[in-house]
Amino acid sequence: LPLEQDMDILGVELATVQSTDSGPEMHQALQKMQAAAEDAKKSAPYTLQGQAPDSSGMKDYRAGLDQLITQIVVVDKLAVLNKLPEARTEAKKLAEIRNQNHKKFR
Ligand code: HEM
């Protein structure tokens, strides 16, 4: 998918993760987030257009998405255990990772 569509999915599903009272629903939203973040690694942001795929900028961009995926897995482990308060606390870091990377690449 185009990067904007992957980002839109991340936004919609993060809203579900933050608001749901259902462990299975949170898990499903996190799975969609993980797939969108993986797919986003195939794209290049406009701010890095023209840079080679192995440039330091592109490596940093993919590292940001890998950091997001690592945290998605952390939250998901709590969601499948139905530990929703703990999952919500860890989910705050997803928004922090978003903000840090938007400053760099958006
Ligand atoms: C939960 C995490 C994130 C959410 C909810 C999120 C959400 C969004 C949204 C809603 C947009 C606007 C899309 C549009 O124009 O329709 C956007 C744009 C963008 N995001 Fe994210 N984002 C997240 C994480 C990240 C990460 C980790 C990176 C980079 C490592 C990133 C890089 C970008 C870039 C580069 C754009 C501009 C689109 C472009 O250049 O083509 N985002 N994001």
Side-chain angles (χ1 to χ4, degrees):
L1 297 176
L3 181 54
E4 290 87 345
Q5 277 185 45
D6 285 322
M7 289 293 155
D8 286 344
I9 292 167
L10 287 176
V12 168
E13 301 304 328
L14 179 60
T16 298
V17 168
Q18 289 167 332
S19 65
T20 184
D21 287 319
S22 156
E25 189 177 39
M26 190 184 284
H27 169 63
Q28 196 178 34
L30 288 160
Q31 284 190 311
K32 290 180 189 168
M33 287 186 74
Q34 184 167 353
E38 293 285 359
D39 194 65
K41 288 170 68 180
K42 300 181 204 157
S43 297
Y46 289 116
T47 52
L48 299 182
Q49 248 183 11
Q51 293 201 20
D54 65 344
S55 63
S56 63
M58 286 295 297
K59 283 180 185 165
D60 283 352
Y61 164 74
R62 290 192 297 269
L65 289 162
D66 281 333
Q67 196 192 348
L68 183 67
I69 291 162
T70 297
Q71 188 61 23
I72 288 169
V73 171
V74 169
V75 180
D76 194 34
K77 283 185 177 151
L78 295 164
V80 298
L81 292 171
N82 238 29
K83 294 188 171 183
L84 297 190
E86 295 89 340
R88 281 187 208 107
T89 299
E90 286 297 326
K92 289 180 187 156
K93 294 182 193 163
L94 298 173
E96 289 167 15
I97 294 166
R98 173 196 62 198
N99 294 344
Q100 286 161 7
N101 284 281
H102 280 181
K103 270 185 213 147
K104 285 200 231 174
F105 302 113
R106 194 176 175 177

